Amino acid sequence: MIERYTERDINSLWDEYNRLKVMLDVELAVCRAWSEQGRIPEDALDDIVSHAHFTVERVKEIEQRTQHDVVAFVSAVAESIGENGRYLHLGMTSSDILDTASSIMIRDTLEIIITALNDLDSVVVDLAKKYKHLPCIGRTHGIHAEPMSLGLKFLNWHAELLRDIGRLEYAKKDISAGKISGAVGTYAMCNPQLEARVCELLGLEPAKVSNQILQRDRHAAVLNALALMGSTLERMALEVRNLQRTEVREAFEPFGVGQKGSSAMPHKRNPIKCERVCGMSRLLRGYALTGMENIALWHERDISHSSTERVIWPDAFNIACFMVRSMTKILRGLVVDETRVKHNVNKTNGLVYSQRVLTFLLDELKLSREDAYAIVQENAMKTASSGVAFLDLLLTDDRLQGVVDPEKIRELFENDFYLRYVDEIFARFFGEE
């Protein structure tokens, strides 16, 4: 991952030193399990645990000769131990150590992302509650539809974030698996009890069945959960971008002191942070596709997945965490222009109340739907073309004068009607408050 989008805590889990350190943790757990089974003498285990270490430089030096990263790692550690280094990697194949170590790293990474996502969700909940009863215009197809609550917009995000958190929690549980089952998963050179003990020591569940690797549907599920989360963040960021448009101006992402919007136009206040989130979500979806392509391998495995995973895993996790934390900062500093929000509800001179007027005419005058629709639509189109208030046109319509109490028509142009169930919707999430 390029430095611009690197999250320090995520990167520290995926740098070369930590990757090899976790591999060493797996090797030492295997040694301990073998010792408990009597395969490795206790004094040899003590020697291994006391002296086993490596340097990244030495591993790379050996790999230049062997052209095999795991062989190079095991050799480097073994030479640091001395004679008892011969007990390292007993009965194991490379993927036993690689896949089990990767499960640990992915599990720990997901924990960081889930924590960050919960932080974001708490900010969204605060916004939802703050603007719970603020009327705003709802839009469909980008066109003014009917009044709604601005808080409901944020509550909708909260509901989706909860689903994202659930998917990531499930993916974390599914990926928290290890395998020490040998070259093609038969335990020919080890035994299932060894695998179970190693996984217990590492906080993993043993895979019920594997071949040479842990099957990549687990990893694809992680990447797909991240991609779905990224799409949620994109939806949120895109909404802020739209609300910040010059013609709307209802909400704005933070704009720092000294920040510049354009090298040419000093007046610009561009939603660059939200645009960045939208762009990065495309990367996550691309990584998810690669993850699914990695599921189908030749027979018990090939290594066509390996080269892609060296890139997509650290990149995807850095990007995902960067996006979550960026969106948290954006929403924590979100500037809502409440006056503008209220102004935009009335921007169409009352047209957004048309469905309520239509329903009223159907109920009050018992008109056919076609006749009622014609009255409402004709006056609506006149309002759109002339700018005369929709209510005024209805009050002067010959078809309604003397037939409908004008006060009843005026009552149709109130926002409280559209917000009357907002508390009930919120109660589904937070109970009665």
Side-chain angles (χ1 to χ4, degrees):
M1 172 50 56
I2 64 173
E3 185 177 353
R4 186 182 185 91
Y5 304 128
T6 295
E7 292 294 299
R8 186 172 301 174
D9 49 355
I10 300 293
N11 207 48
S12 67
L13 288 175
W14 289 92
D15 67 20
E16 188 65 4
Y17 175 80
N18 192 67
R19 186 179 77 86
L20 295 174
K21 179 181 177 299
V22 177
M23 287 169 59
L24 180 58
D25 291 341
V26 176
E27 289 282 2
L28 294 179
V30 172
C31 288
R32 184 173 298 281
W34 274 130
S35 180
E36 291 172 359
Q37 291 189 14
R39 181 77 181 274
I40 298 178
E42 286 188 21
D43 58 343
L45 176 65
D46 292 340
D47 186 40
I48 292 168
V49 172
S50 298
H51 294 96
H53 70 273
F54 63 88
T55 66
V56 174
E57 293 73 23
R58 180 56 179 155
V59 174
K60 288 182 177 180
E61 182 183 343
I62 299 174
E63 187 179 355
Q64 286 293 317
R65 181 180 74 253
T66 63
Q67 294 298 297
H68 195 294
D69 59 342
V70 175
V71 170
F73 168 73
V74 173
S75 297
V77 176
E79 69 182 19
S80 75
I81 297 169
E83 181 182 351
N84 287 321
R86 65 193 180 88
Y87 290 115
L88 283 177
H89 213 64
L90 273 180
M92 297 171 67
T93 189
S94 296
S95 292
D96 287 333
I97 179 175
L98 289 173
D99 280 10
T100 303
S102 293
S103 291
I104 294 170
M105 293 163 67
I106 295 173
R107 176 199 65 192
D108 293 349
T109 303
L110 287 177
E111 189 61 41
I112 293 173
I113 294 173
I114 290 169
T115 298
L117 202 57
N118 275 300
D119 290 342
L120 170 61
D121 185 54
S122 68
V123 175
V124 170
V125 167
D126 288 344
L127 288 169
K129 291 180 177 180
K130 180 177 181 179
Y131 297 111
K132 182 178 181 180
H133 295 117
L134 178 64
C136 73
I137 191 62
R139 299 172 175 90
T140 59
H141 303 272
I143 307 300
H144 286 207
E146 289 187 340
M148 60 177 288
S149 153
L150 184 62
L152 275 181
K153 190 186 294 284
F154 296 119
L155 186 68
N156 192 285
W157 295 356
H158 166 61
E160 190 166 341
L161 286 170
L162 290 180
R163 294 192 291 275
D164 285 312
I165 291 168
R167 282 187 285 263
L168 287 170
E169 289 281 10
Y170 182 85
K172 186 182 78 168
K173 180 177 182 296
D174 202 34
I175 200 62
S176 297
K179 61 90 61 182
I180 308 293
S181 57
V184 290
T186 62
Y187 301 97
M189 304 304 293
C190 50
N191 57 71
Q193 293 73 33
L194 180 87
E195 178 185 69
R197 178 57 175 149
V198 170
C199 287
E200 181 184 17
L201 290 169
L202 298 172
L204 301 172
E205 288 292 321
K208 290 185 177 180
V209 61
S210 59
N211 44 36
Q212 192 168 91
I213 61 170
L214 286 172
Q215 275 51 68
R216 260 39 192 180
D217 61 295
R218 299 175 188 265
H219 308 77
V222 170
L223 292 167
N224 274 279
L226 289 178
L228 283 168
M229 181 203 75
S231 296
T232 296
L233 299 179
E234 181 180 13
R235 184 169 84 94
M236 295 161 62
L238 185 62
E239 182 67 16
V240 174
R241 287 171 61 191
N242 271 314
L243 294 179
Q244 188 164 327
R245 285 189 300 119
T246 305
E247 295 81 1
V248 180
R249 294 190 291 116
E250 292 183 8
F252 304 82
E253 70 173 40
F255 194 80
V257 176
Q259 184 175 338
K260 304 293 188 293
S262 166
S263 63
M265 296 167 285
H267 73 279
K268 297 294 292 295
R269 180 175 176 172
N270 300 327
I272 58 169
K273 299 177 180 68
C274 287
E275 290 172 335
R276 185 182 298 135
V277 170
C278 290
M280 297 178 92
S281 69
R282 301 167 190 170
L283 290 172
L284 287 183
R285 290 193 286 273
Y287 293 144
L289 176 60
T290 304
M292 289 186 286
E293 295 284 350
N294 286 341
I295 294 173
L297 303 174
W298 284 22
H299 303 297
E300 277 55 63
R301 77 132 187 178
D302 55 58
I303 64 164
S304 60
H305 63 294
S306 176
S307 56
T308 69
E309 289 171 351
R310 292 174 191 268
V311 176
I312 66 175
W313 288 352
D315 275 21
F317 295 130
N318 266 293
I319 287 170
C321 196
F322 181 93
M323 290 173 65
V324 173
R325 288 171 175 167
S326 293
M327 205 66 225
T328 303
K329 292 175 185 176
I330 290 167
L331 295 184
R332 189 170 281 136
L334 190 71
V335 178
V336 174
D337 186 337
E338 295 189 34
T339 300
R340 183 70 179 184
V341 171
K342 295 173 184 176
H343 168 80
N344 282 345
V345 175
N346 302 312
K347 196 168 187 177
T348 59
N349 294 308
L351 291 181
V352 295
Y353 305 101
S354 68
Q355 181 181 199
R356 193 177 181 199
V357 175
L358 172 65
T359 304
F360 171 79
L361 295 182
L362 292 172
D363 293 341
E364 186 79 5
L365 301 185
K366 309 302 180 185
L367 297 176
S368 69
R369 186 170 186 86
E370 285 190 6
D371 289 343
Y373 200 100
I375 293 173
V376 176
Q377 188 179 49
E378 287 172 19
N379 284 291
M381 294 305 159
K382 288 179 183 177
T383 292
S385 61
S386 68
V388 178
F390 184 44
L391 174 60
D392 292 341
L393 290 176
L394 290 171
L395 292 175
T396 57
D397 191 304
D398 293 340
R399 293 165 290 186
L400 300 179
Q401 282 188 321
V403 181
V404 181
D405 181 353
E407 192 55 39
K408 287 187 176 181
I409 295 180
R410 289 190 180 91
E411 290 173 355
L412 303 176
F413 289 72
E414 296 175 355
N415 293 323
D416 288 348
F417 173 83
Y418 297 91
L419 273 60
R420 68 191 190 281
Y421 294 119
V422 167
D423 286 336
E424 185 175 330
I425 298 171
F426 269 72
R428 295 172 183 172
F429 294 90
F430 311 115
E432 300 294 336
E433 292 186 350

